[in-house]
Amino acid sequence: TIDEQLSVHDIRIVKGVERYIAVFDLVIPFSVKLNQKEIKERLALLVKESYPKFDINVTVDRTYASTACKKDR
């Protein structure tokens, strides 16, 4: 795993001639200290290890809401 705080939504799979592309949005909470580039690189590596015929296309969203606020609800 990279960080349990990350969340994914709007997942789509696009079939190419020889490969598939997993297209999705990734929400990175402000509390995650890894930078966007590092997270994308780790994700790409994890996907390639499990699914060698897949590439990824990730749109990153950063959330700035505190996770503490969510816990208090």
Side-chain angles (χ1 to χ4, degrees), residues 8-46:
V8 174
H9 61 95
D10 293 336
I11 302 169
R12 304 143 335 261
I13 304 296
V14 179
K15 184 177 182 191
V17 176
E18 295 183 18
R19 303 192 58 75
Y20 294 90
I21 301 172
V23 182
F24 56 91
D25 296 345
L26 176 69
V27 179
I28 305 173
F30 185 70
S31 58
V32 173
K33 299 305 178 196
L34 295 170
N35 68 47
Q36 184 173 315
K37 182 180 179 211
E38 187 174 12
I39 291 170
K40 282 183 169 183
E41 288 172 352
R42 288 185 185 189
L43 271 173
L45 182 61
L46 287 171

Side-chain angles (χ1 to χ4, degrees), residues 67-73:
T67 54
C69 292
K70 292 179 184 176
K71 290 178 184 176
D72 292 339
R73 290 184 187 172

